[in-house]
Amino acid sequence: MPNKKYVCLILFCLLLTGRFVQCTKGFQELNTNPNAVASVTPNLLLTTTLYSIVDENIDNSNGLQLGWQVNTGYNFATLELFIQHFMSPGGIFNFGKFYSIYNSTYDESFWDQTYLNSFKTATQLISLSATNPNYANYGAVGTILQAYIIQRLTDLYGDIPFSQAGQGFLNGIVYPKYDRQRDIYMTILNNLQTAATSLNASMPLLGDISSNNGVVTQWKQTAYSLMLRVAMRMIRVDPTNAIRWASIAEDSLGGASANLGNGFYITGTSQYFNANYAVLASPAGAYLFSYSSPYLKLSDVYIGLLKSFKDPRIFIWPTLRDASGNESIYDSADQKGLSVSDATAYSVDQLATFSQVRFALLTPTSPTFCISPAQTFFLLAELEERKTGTGTGRNFFKSGLTAAINQANSFGVSINTYLPPGSNVQAYVDSIGNMVYNSQGNLDSNVKLINQEYWLNTLFDGIEAFSNWRRTRNSTSSNNGYPALYVSTVSGSAQLTGGTIPSRLKYPISERTVNTQNYNVAVGNLVGGDNLTSRVWWDVMN
C-alpha cells in the first residue's frame, strides 16, 4: 500500500494541474440541458447553494474522504498565505508564500468554481421566485446569497460578469460583459435593501441548512450585516456612500442595542464534511497538519498578535502537536508562529515546535463562518469611529472582542476546556476596551486595533481577510495594512510583484481566449493591466 503522504501529494498535484475532471460532470449535464432546472424545487436549490458557498459540495459518504474541496484547497495554498494567517516552510505553496511561481490554476479555481456552482444556483433561485409568488422568500434569500458570492469574487478580481452572468440558458447570453466594480457594489447594496424588506415570515423557506434555519428575522440580520461589510469596503474610495449605506445597516441591526446572535454560518455533516477539516485534518488531508507537516503552520504574525495582547485565544486556537497526536494545553509561552522569511528545510523535530490549529476545531461537523457576529461588531465600531472620532465605537468593539473569543464555543467545544483555571474573559475584554482602545478621538489607533481583531477573526477565510486587509493599507507602503504583513526576503522571491503583497488575482486564461472582447474592456479599466499588483476600484491608499 502506498504511503499516505505520497497519496496526498499526488492528489494535491492532480488538483493543481486541473485533472479532477469528475467534479465538473454534473455541470456539464446542466449546461447541455436547459430543462434540467425545471424539476428542481427551490428548497433543494437553496440547500445546494449554501453547501456550495462553503465548498461542502463533495459527497464524502463513500468513504474516500479525498479531502480536496477545490476552493478551500486553493484558499490555504494561496490566500491564507498572502494574508499570513498561515505560513509554509515547504516549496509546494511557493505562489502563496513568495508570489514567485505563477500557476493560472490558482486564479481560475475561484472564478470557475464560483460561477459553475454557488452563483449559478443562487441565480436560478432568484429566477424561480420571479415566476411564482409563493417562492418570494427564496428569491430574497437567493439575492442575499448572490450578493455575498459576487462581492467575494469582485473583491478578488475587480470588474467581473454580474448582470449578464448565469444567463446562458435563461436569456441566451454566453459571452457576458464585465460590470464595473463600482456598479456591482451599488447594485449589491440596493439588492440587499430590497431583499431584506421583502422577506415575509408568513411565506415558506425550507431547505435552509444554515444557522439562520429558515428564520426570516435572522436572514434580515444577515442581509444588513452583509450590507455593512459591503459599505465599509468603500470607505476610502467613496466615503459618503459608504457612511450612508453603513448607517442604514447599523440602524436596521438595532444600533447600539444590536444583538447579532451567532452570526451566519454553515456546519458540515457526516456526508458533506466541513471543507477546512477535509483539507487540513481528514485522513487524506491530515498530512498538511500533522506533527511533521512541511506545509502549513500558523504564522508569526498571528501568534505574535495574540501574545502581544495576552489574548486568551492563545490557549484556544493554537497548539503544539507531538508525534502521537497529543496536543498541548495551557502553554502560551511555547506557541511559535512560522516567519514568512524563513524557507529553511526543517527536520521533523524542528517542525513540531511551530504552532498549528487544534484538531477539536477542525471536525467534519465544524461550522464555516460566512459572517461572524464579531466581524459585524468590529465594522460597527469602525463606522462609529469614522463618523464621530471620539471613541464612541468602544462598546461595539468590546462586543466584537467578546464574540470573537467565544466563537470557538460554536465549534462544539467549550473554551473553558482550554483556558487556564481562573481565566476571566470579561475582565480581559474590559482591560482592552478601557485601556488600549483610545477614547480621545485617535482615529488611526482605534481603526488599527479594530482591524487587527477583524484579521484575527477571519482565520480560515482568506478571501475576506485579504479583502478587508487591502482596504486598510495606508499611503506609505503596499504591505502596511492592519496588521502589518511582510514580504519574503529570500533571494528570487516576490519576483512577480516587485516586492509587494499581491493586490488581486489575474483573470482566467480562458476568459482571454473565449470572452476576449469583454475581457479586453475589463483589463483596460485596470491601472497596470491584468497583473497581480493592479488595484481594484475600492483599493485606494489615502
Side-chain angles (χ1 to χ4, degrees):
M1 177 180 237
N3 187 299
K4 182 189 293 184
K5 172 176 73 174
Y6 296 105
V7 171
C8 293
L9 286 175
I10 291 169
L11 288 173
F12 192 71
C13 290
L14 285 172
L15 180 141
L16 290 184
T17 54
R19 298 286 198 266
F20 271 20
V21 296
Q22 290 181 346
C23 298
T24 63
K25 181 180 178 182
F27 302 121
Q28 203 170 41
E29 293 176 356
L30 185 61
N31 284 334
T32 56
N33 182 6
N35 299 314
V37 193
S39 61
V40 177
T41 59
N43 55 303
L44 177 59
L45 272 177
L46 176 56
T47 301
T48 301
T49 304
L50 290 167
Y51 276 135
S52 295
I53 282 175
V54 293
D55 215 15
E56 289 171 5
N57 53 350
I58 293 179
D59 188 343
N60 293 281
S61 61
N62 58 9
L64 291 178
Q65 300 178 3
L66 292 177
W68 288 116
Q69 269 81 343
V70 178
N71 275 354
T72 305
Y74 290 132
N75 173 55
F76 286 105
T78 306
L79 297 175
E80 283 286 45
L81 296 181
F82 281 4
I83 202 63
Q84 295 172 34
H85 282 145
F86 295 88
M87 195 42 59
S88 169
I92 195 171
F93 297 144
N94 272 347
F95 177 57
K97 181 180 179 181
F98 297 143
Y99 339 123
S100 59
I101 301 177
Y102 179 71
N103 186 324
S104 62
T105 308
Y106 285 110
D107 296 352
E108 293 182 12
S109 165
F110 296 108
W111 181 286
D112 291 345
Q113 295 301 316
T114 297
Y115 280 122
L116 286 173
N117 288 274
S118 56
F119 183 82
K120 176 179 287 187
T121 53
T123 301
Q124 291 168 348
L125 198 58
I126 296 168
S127 179
L128 280 179
S129 70
T131 59
N132 190 331
N134 292 324
Y135 294 163
N137 277 347
Y138 294 101
V141 169
T143 299
I144 295 167
L145 295 177
Q146 187 192 66
Y148 173 83
I149 294 160
I150 210 67
Q151 188 206 11
R152 288 164 74 81
L153 201 64
T154 187
D155 284 352
L156 287 177
Y157 297 94
D159 297 354
I160 58 171
F162 177 37
S163 59
Q164 294 183 349
Q167 300 295 315
F169 289 120
L170 295 174
N171 293 304
I173 300 172
V174 293
Y175 302 113
K177 72 173 184 178
Y178 286 55
D179 294 89
R180 299 298 298 268
Q181 188 175 67
R182 185 190 186 281
D183 296 337
I184 293 172
Y185 261 62
M186 293 300 108
T187 300
I188 287 174
L189 290 166
N190 281 290
N191 286 353
L192 286 171
Q193 178 78 310
T194 300
T197 55
S198 66
L199 283 162
N200 187 337
S202 66
M203 301 290 286
L205 186 56
L206 304 176
D208 180 8
I209 48 84
S210 77
S211 56
N212 290 340
N213 197 29
V215 178
V216 162
T217 54
Q218 292 182 212
W219 274 109
K220 288 177 179 283
Q221 186 179 90
T222 296
Y224 288 117
S225 295
L226 180 56
M227 180 186 290
L228 176 66
R229 175 184 287 185
V230 174
M232 292 303 289
R233 198 83 88 227
M234 307 188 304
I235 197 66
R236 284 185 164 171
V237 70
D238 189 355
T240 300
N241 271 316
I243 295 295
R244 180 171 72 88
W245 281 102
S247 296
I248 292 173
E250 179 182 22
D251 292 342
S252 301
L253 289 169
S257 302
N259 181 354
L260 302 179
N262 294 319
F264 174 47
Y265 62 84
I266 299 162
T267 58
T269 70
S270 58
Q271 183 177 3
Y272 296 97
F273 292 166
N274 172 276
N276 296 323
Y277 161 80
V279 170
L280 297 176
S282 71
Y287 186 62
L288 290 184
F289 248 30
S290 69
Y291 163 73
S292 59
S293 170
Y295 294 125
L296 287 174
K297 303 290 182 181
L298 287 167
S299 76
D300 61 336
V301 182
Y302 182 84
I303 297 298
L305 275 180
L306 293 180
K307 282 188 172 183
S308 66
F309 287 119
K310 298 181 172 59
D311 193 306
R313 282 171 290 182
I314 193 70
F315 299 104
I316 301 170
W317 288 89
T319 188
L320 298 173
R321 193 171 292 121
D322 66 22
S324 299
N326 299 313
E327 296 183 337
S328 59
I329 193 168
Y330 307 156
D331 60 348
S332 63
D334 292 331
Q335 298 298 334
K336 181 171 67 174
L338 189 67
S339 168
V340 67
S341 62
D342 201 338
T344 306
Y346 288 101
S347 68
V348 170
D349 289 339
Q350 289 171 319
L351 284 170
T353 66
F354 291 98
S355 301
Q356 298 176 306
V357 177
R358 289 189 185 279
F359 277 144
L361 300 167
L362 289 167
T363 71
T365 57
S366 290
T368 297
F369 276 86
C370 300
I371 305 175
S372 76
Q375 292 163 16
T376 302
F377 277 128
F378 289 141
L379 290 176
L380 288 170
E382 182 180 349
L383 172 63
E384 285 302 310
E385 291 303 318
R386 292 189 178 277
K387 286 166 66 173
T388 64
T390 58
T392 52
R394 179 189 298 178
N395 287 337
F396 281 136
F397 173 79
K398 291 170 66 174
S399 295
L401 188 53
T402 300
I405 295 170
N406 287 320
Q407 187 166 310
N409 289 328
S410 299
F411 286 70
V413 302
S414 170
I415 63 172
N416 293 326
T417 301
Y418 304 107
L419 293 176
S423 297
N424 189 324
V425 171
Q426 190 57 54
Y428 169 77
V429 170
D430 289 340
S431 70
I432 297 296
N434 296 332
M435 291 188 290
V436 179
Y437 198 92
N438 192 305
S439 62
Q440 305 304 314
N442 190 328
L443 176 64
D444 288 341
S445 66
N446 286 343
V447 168
K448 176 180 179 180
L449 179 64
I450 290 165
N451 283 284
Q452 284 176 336
E453 290 293 343
Y454 194 99
W455 180 87
L456 285 169
N457 189 251
T458 51
L459 183 72
F460 296 148
D461 189 353
I463 295 179
E464 178 57 23
F466 182 48
S467 297
N468 190 72
W469 178 83
R470 282 179 288 153
R471 79 165 178 90
T472 69
R473 291 188 290 188
N474 60 41
S475 59
T476 61
S477 171
S478 294
N479 305 323
N480 193 14
Y482 300 140
L485 302 178
Y486 308 96
V487 175
S488 174
T489 58
V490 174
S491 176
S493 69
Q495 60 188 20
L496 297 177
T497 63
T500 65
I501 293 169
S503 293
R504 60 181 290 274
L505 296 183
K506 295 172 66 175
Y507 292 124
I509 293 175
S510 58
E511 284 294 294
R512 186 190 315 162
T513 56
V514 176
N515 196 11
T516 307
Q517 182 176 350
N518 291 314
Y519 164 84
N520 287 336
V521 172
V523 173
N525 293 329
L526 281 168
V527 177
D530 188 12
N531 292 303
L532 296 171
T533 52
S534 298
R535 292 172 176 269
V536 302
W537 164 71
W538 52 255
D539 185 8
V540 297
M541 294 192 297
N542 52 33

